[in-house]
Amino acid sequence: QVQLVESGGGLVQAGGSLRLSCAASGRTFSNYHMGWFRQAPGKEREIVATMNWSGSSTYYANSVKGRFTISRDNAKNTVYLQVNNLELEDTAVYYCAAARLWSAAITLASGYDYWGQGTQVTVSS
């Protein structure tokens, strides 16, 4: 089992920034590939960004490229999501997730084995 706890969400004005964190415990963090997803009201959960265990491979959704940055610190068992230049459409609950396999499903929710409880990001005008 891997336990994931997100933090860092909040209310921010459009154009602002936040740094989301996800602390992992329970199993060897560096064995897992880590992703960030988000879910807005009435919409399906969607991939935001993902990074493999070593940090050598990343993927970003087109909607966040150039604005969001995923990173990880295996010594601290933590994955981060720096979110800059926030837009109203970024309002959602943000979830981190851990995957045992880097597969074709790594951009899908079904590709992940463990999930955090989520942190709310609300962007206001």
Side-chain angles (χ1 to χ4, degrees), residues 27-105:
R27 292 286 182 95
T28 304
F29 179 70
S30 59
N31 287 348
Y32 292 87
H33 315 294
M34 299 299 297
W36 286 96
F37 286 74
R38 67 185 180 186
Q39 188 166 19
K43 294 188 176 181
E44 293 187 355
R45 193 169 297 191
E46 63 176 1
I47 183 78
V48 174
T50 188
M51 173 176 278
N52 73 337
W53 71 273
S54 67
S56 61
S57 294
T58 58
Y59 168 89
Y60 291 94
N62 287 336
S63 59
V64 307
K65 279 182 181 177
R67 300 189 297 122
F68 291 12
T69 303
I70 187 172
S71 62
R72 65 188 295 163
D73 185 337
N74 287 344
K76 295 184 177 180
N77 293 347
T78 302
V79 61
Y80 305 97
L81 186 69
Q82 179 68 40
V83 297
N84 297 329
N85 195 19
L86 282 161
E87 302 171 353
L88 297 179
E89 294 75 19
D90 295 319
T91 295
V93 177
Y94 284 70
Y95 300 89
C96 73
R100 287 172 290 185
L101 298 176
W102 186 265
S103 70

